[in-house]
Amino acid sequence: MNPDGGRPRIEDDGARLIRRAASGDAAAFGRLYDLYGGLLYSVACRMLGAAQEAEDAVQDAFLQAWEESGAFDPDRGSPRAWLVVLLRSRCLDRLRRREARGRHESEAARLEPPRADGEATGSEEGRLRALVREAMAELPPAQRAAVEESLFGGLSHAEVAAKLGEPLGTVKTRLRLAARRLADRLRPVWEP
Amino acid sequence: MSERGDWTAEDLGLPERDCAELGALLGLAAAPRTPPARLKARVLAGLKRRGGKERPAWLRRAAALSAALAAAALILEVRPGPGAREATLAHGTGDVRVDGRPAFAGQRVASGQTVSVDGGEAVVVFAGGRAAARLSRGAEAVVRGGEAFEVELRKGWLLSAVAPGTPYRVLTEHGRVAALGTDFMLRRQPADTFVCMCRGRLEVAGEFGRTELAAGGHDAWVFTGSRAPHRPAPASMAGHSEGEIRSLRAFLAPL
């Protein structure tokens, strides 16, 4: 958040850049990549566990964003939410294709190690990251595990339940409770 | 069979915008990784190639499918072949049933039969690929033949992808929605029907009369039998993102 707790400035910048991209400004789109490329790549690596596939998913998401930038409406959501929604769809497509091919092997070993916290990040991203981690850390461990598997693993609730060895109803309840708690804690970021 | 990606507003009991914003923000909890420098170059090179009509694989496939579809649609319009009004269950995950019995991919769905989905999703393709409807988990719909391809949505969500010029309608107890464009999503709600026009136009008819809706992209309305479509709170892309629409449109090809 901004020091005054308001809407992150990076989001205002992002919205402006998307508007310029919609009019064909490739340089603005490059700056949009600079703002969000790291986040999208991190999420793609977390979801797909394979660096090459993550690159492909991020590229697809950005090219889709370029094509659909005219449809972006800042009143409906932030640039970050818009881009991550696009990316998650691309990652889920890849996970589904992987599942359909029966290819379950982990390619996590191909990933480079994560960078140290704060390294190569803008201060605003660093602050947000700390806020999110704090909010996640405040969750009971069982809720946190369910959120991570659902959000990053791209798993259905039934799959999360099977993986965690918990009843489906318990997992659903945990996810709802965790989501509500996280939203209450983090809502000021997108709804100042 | 399973369904991936249950991070939805409905599942989490959150407003749709909160769900999307929260999902994006939690991305920051992923281990931070620096993308290789070549990735930005790849992305920007992709933009340039757009100008030269060179597109990524998924877009090339979509373009090829569209071209094939356009050709197929033209033929079908001129001379409908046998089974032109038939529907087929093209894809299913989770517990998909037709008239209460477990269904299988490739199964023909006759007019009047009910497709229900529990814990997964199902894609029903009409007339060899002129329209495709994806039922989300918890959805129930009756497929009907006749002059148009019709789906009566009784519960849940239905995303439709329709080839231009295809007579395709979705019915709920609140009214009838006819495709004049291509892609739209309906959600049957207790008191009303939510419709998101992803692109093109729709005709909505009910006790309130008949009206045409046009959209710039993902504009949403709700309507009841007595009240014409009016704008609800801002809609999110949950359940019908461009990626999900594209994956459904992939079924719009001759089977």
Side-chain angles (χ1 to χ4, degrees), chain B:
Chain B
M1 294 190 284
S2 63
E3 180 175 8
R4 290 188 171 276
D6 273 352
W7 188 269
T8 65
E10 189 181 33
D11 288 322
L12 301 174
L14 291 177
E16 292 187 342
R17 177 164 186 175
D18 280 4
C19 178
E21 296 286 354
L22 181 60
L25 202 55
L26 292 180
L28 289 166
R33 293 178 187 278
T34 304
R38 65 174 176 272
L39 182 52
K40 181 177 181 182
R42 277 180 63 186
V43 169
L44 295 181
L47 306 188
K48 288 179 185 167
R49 283 199 299 269
R50 287 295 151 99
K53 304 296 182 192
E54 186 180 339
R55 299 178 168 203
W58 59 267
L59 264 181
R60 287 200 300 272
R61 282 196 297 275
L65 277 175
S66 295
L69 179 61
L74 183 63
I75 293 166
L76 285 167
E77 293 235 335
V78 173
R79 189 171 50 193
R85 297 295 176 202
E86 288 183 5
T88 303
L89 181 66
H91 165 75
T93 63
D95 185 5
V96 179
R97 291 172 181 264
V98 173
D99 281 349
R101 286 186 290 278
F104 55 89
Q107 178 174 343
R108 179 173 177 267
V109 183
S111 179
Q113 287 193 304
T114 301
V115 180
S116 57
V117 181
D118 187 11
E121 67 173 27
V123 174
V124 177
V125 171
F126 296 84
R130 296 191 64 187
R134 193 182 72 208
L135 292 152
S136 298
R137 65 187 173 287
E140 183 179 296
V142 182
V143 172
R144 300 199 186 282
E147 292 181 1
F149 309 113
E150 281 188 352
V151 183
E152 182 186 338
L153 180 64
R154 292 182 170 172
K155 287 197 304 185
W157 293 27
L158 179 80
L159 176 65
S160 298
V162 186
T166 302
Y168 176 87
R169 298 193 284 252
V170 181
L171 317 175
T172 73
E173 71 175 77
H174 302 118
R176 186 189 73 202
V177 177
L180 302 175
T182 50
D183 309 320
F184 63 98
M185 193 276 280
L186 249 71
R187 184 171 66 220
R188 178 70 180 81
Q189 303 181 145
D192 52 31
T193 295
F194 172 101
V195 56
C196 180
M197 180 68 241
C198 306
R199 56 177 65 85
R201 291 177 299 134
L202 287 175
E203 182 190 85
V204 183
E207 288 174 19
F208 54 82
R210 180 178 297 190
T211 187
E212 203 171 294
L213 305 178
H218 295 286
D219 290 330
W221 296 262
V222 292
F223 67 93
T224 65
S226 57
R227 188 172 179 200
H230 51 283
R231 294 291 178 107
S236 83
M237 303 287 282
H240 60 291
S241 68
E242 286 301 316
E244 286 165 309
I245 291 170
R246 253 194 303 279
S247 69
L248 181 60
R249 293 193 69 82
F251 289 92
L252 290 184
L255 293 175

Side-chain angles (χ1 to χ4, degrees), chain A residues 166-188:
Chain A
E166 300 282 1
L168 177 58
T170 303
V171 165
K172 287 185 173 183
T173 302
R174 283 178 183 165
L175 280 168
R176 280 180 166 250
L177 290 173
R180 194 175 309 158
R181 193 164 170 172
L182 288 166
D184 288 346
R185 179 84 156 74
L186 299 171
R187 189 174 288 109

Side-chain angles (χ1 to χ4, degrees), chain A residues 27-46:
Chain A
F29 197 74
R31 288 180 53 207
L32 186 73
Y33 174 92
D34 293 339
L35 283 182
Y36 296 104
L39 170 64
L40 265 61
Y41 182 68
S42 301
V43 172
C45 285
R46 178 69 177 81

